[in-house]
Amino acid sequence: MHYLVTGGAGYIGSHLVLALVAAEHQVTVLDDFSTGHRWATEGHEVIEVDIRDLAALRSALSQRHFDGVFHFAAKSLVGESGQKPLLYYQNNVTGTANLMEVALENGWGHCVFSSTAAVYGNPQAAAIAEDHPLNPVNVYGDTKLAMERLLSAVHQQGAMHAVCLRYFNAAGAAPLAHRGEWHEPETHLIPNILRRAGGEDRPLTIFGDDYDTPDGTCIRDYIHVLDLADAHLKAMAMLHRQGGFHTLNLGSEKGYSVREILSACEQAVGAPISHDIGPRRPGDPPRLVADASQAEQVLQWRTTRNLQAIVESAWLWEQQRQVLL
Ligand SMILES: NC(=O)c1ccc[n+]([C@@H]2O[C@H](COP(=O)([O-])OP(=O)(O)OC[C@H]3O[C@@H](n4cnc5c(N)ncnc54)[C@H](O)[C@@H]3O)[C@@H](O)[C@H]2O)c1
């Protein structure tokens, strides 16, 4: 099969590209390199285009056949989304509408889409299932929910089968293949801890240690990026088998506190990592953990890599990243 991967130069997309190639699929990456990396696309066909630009998208992709599209391209910084809402709506929602327009014009009928747990907003359950109320509390989550609804509407027209995968916290790396996470600014906990451990002169702050959790710090669900990639392959295969429109959570169903993550990182690094304690950040719920039983049922998928594998792979990658700097 030949797949188009939008956002294939980014963190999760570039790991999916590895998994597609390992499964002997042909891959074309589409990216504007706004947050992605050229080194992450070496050896693959790349179409450099901004999905906001419908004319450019059309001219780059008309008459091209793909057996499906994996749609990662998006802006995904929660804080920035509040400051630049129009950029987020244009990039994420208009960009997705443009992509669907070109997909339908060219007859590509299968889409696996990167959604997020941010569509749920403040959790009302210990483990969040897909039927949890959808009530995003930031612009980023709003745009992702709008993208899901856009895909659902396109599906109802009859020409597109789609799966929206709602990821919890992606983490880890494929250091043997020289792939890993590198965002600027980095807002994710594990790379921030490891960049500090690797000697970067940056503050490492735990935001709040007075939550109603066993050690007072926030609890999140971390999923290895290679487990995510496996789920994408299974989701696309399922679409080819049975079609339809599906929404599935992807998480490990295990919650780890910020302190537990810090101590797992200290173990991987073999040294204490200095940090300070700051006030709570507004809008951070104490606990966000997935109920991923639907994905297990529908995709016959579950996570196979634990927290230790996540942190060790991320630490190996961090040491490689220092060399690329
Ligand atoms: N990282 C996570 O923990 C997480 C969690 C939930 C959902 N997601 C979603 O997964 C997807 C990938 O996340 P990531 O962490 O790999 O992000 P990333 O920023 O590393 O990758 C996004 C890629 O999309 C490209 N892109 C952005 N806007 C574009 C545009 N207008 N045209 C063409 N290319 C464009 C960027 O250059 C980049 O390569 C995003 O949609 C994100 O919202 C990520």
Side-chain angles (χ1 to χ4, degrees):
M1 300 274 190
H2 188 170
Y3 292 115
L4 182 69
V5 182
T6 78
Y11 168 45
I12 305 173
S14 63
H15 285 81
L16 176 75
V17 168
L18 289 178
L20 286 169
V21 170
E24 300 190 346
H25 296 297
Q26 233 183 304
V27 177
T28 298
V29 170
L30 184 155
D31 208 291
D32 69 350
F33 296 98
S34 50
T35 59
H37 302 276
R38 284 181 202 279
W39 51 260
T41 62
E42 270 166 30
H44 306 294
E45 186 197 8
V46 177
I47 296 175
E48 186 169 349
V49 66
D50 182 338
I51 56 171
R52 288 175 297 177
D53 185 343
L54 179 57
L57 205 56
R58 270 208 178 103
S59 105
L61 292 169
S62 67
Q63 312 295 328
R64 293 287 307 254
H65 173 74
F66 296 105
D67 296 292
V69 49
F70 293 91
H71 181 30
F72 294 90
K75 296 226 163 276
S76 54
L77 296 174
V78 168
E80 185 185 58
S81 73
Q83 291 149 8
K84 300 178 180 169
L86 291 178
L87 174 67
Y88 272 67
Y89 273 92
Q90 279 158 4
N91 200 83
N92 295 358
V93 183
T94 306
T96 301
N98 290 343
L99 183 69
M100 285 302 110
E101 183 113 32
V102 174
L104 296 182
E105 283 167 7
N106 291 286
W108 323 328
H110 303 85
C111 178
V112 174
F113 165 61
S114 304
S115 190
T116 167
V119 297
Y120 296 117
N122 288 322
Q124 295 169 18
I128 300 173
E130 290 81 355
D131 60 0
H132 183 283
L134 299 171
N135 193 13
V137 292
N138 49 60
V139 171
Y140 166 62
D142 284 335
T143 64
K144 285 280 162 170
L145 185 54
M147 293 156 91
E148 284 193 3
R149 288 178 171 156
L150 188 160
L151 288 173
S152 164
V154 171
H155 164 71
Q156 282 167 36
Q157 285 185 308
M160 180 63 66
H161 303 290
V163 186
C164 302
L165 298 175
R166 294 177 178 158
Y167 319 155
F168 282 63
N169 293 63
L176 294 180
H178 298 276
R179 292 287 182 279
E181 185 164 15
W182 188 347
H183 295 115
E184 297 294 355
E186 185 58 75
T187 58
H188 296 146
L189 180 64
I190 293 174
N192 271 329
I193 294 175
L194 296 176
R195 281 168 73 159
R196 168 88 189 152
E200 261 185 48
D201 183 19
R202 48 171 41 229
L204 176 63
T205 304
I206 295 181
F207 296 106
D209 65 351
D210 57 351
Y211 284 94
D212 185 16
T213 58
D215 67 17
T217 64
C218 285
I219 292 174
R220 296 289 180 269
D221 181 329
Y222 295 86
I223 173 168
H224 197 297
V225 66
L226 293 177
D227 280 332
L228 270 187
D230 289 346
H232 283 70
L233 294 189
K234 292 197 160 167
M236 185 59 88
M238 183 269 287
L239 280 186
H240 279 283
R241 273 195 317 273
Q242 67 188 66
F245 180 82
H246 312 261
T247 307
L248 299 170
N249 284 342
L250 295 181
S252 68
E253 302 191 314
K254 292 189 182 68
Y256 291 100
S257 73
V258 176
R259 279 197 193 286
E260 286 173 318
I261 296 293
L262 183 64
S263 109
C265 289
E266 288 178 331
Q267 250 182 334
V269 169
I273 301 168
S274 61
H275 60 276
D276 50 57
I277 310 291
R280 293 181 181 197
R281 282 184 306 201
D284 260 353
R287 181 186 159 90
L288 275 176
V289 177
D291 172 341
S293 50
Q294 284 232 36
E296 182 169 358
Q297 241 175 5
V298 175
L299 303 179
Q300 284 80 54
W301 167 92
R302 53 181 304 122
T303 55
T304 59
R305 296 159 180 96
N306 62 16
L307 181 63
Q308 192 189 357
I310 288 177
V311 167
E312 284 176 359
S313 65
W315 176 232
L316 270 178
W317 160 248
E318 176 53 28
Q319 292 162 86
Q320 292 177 0
R321 199 186 66 85
Q322 296 287 335
V323 176
L324 284 173
L325 279 173

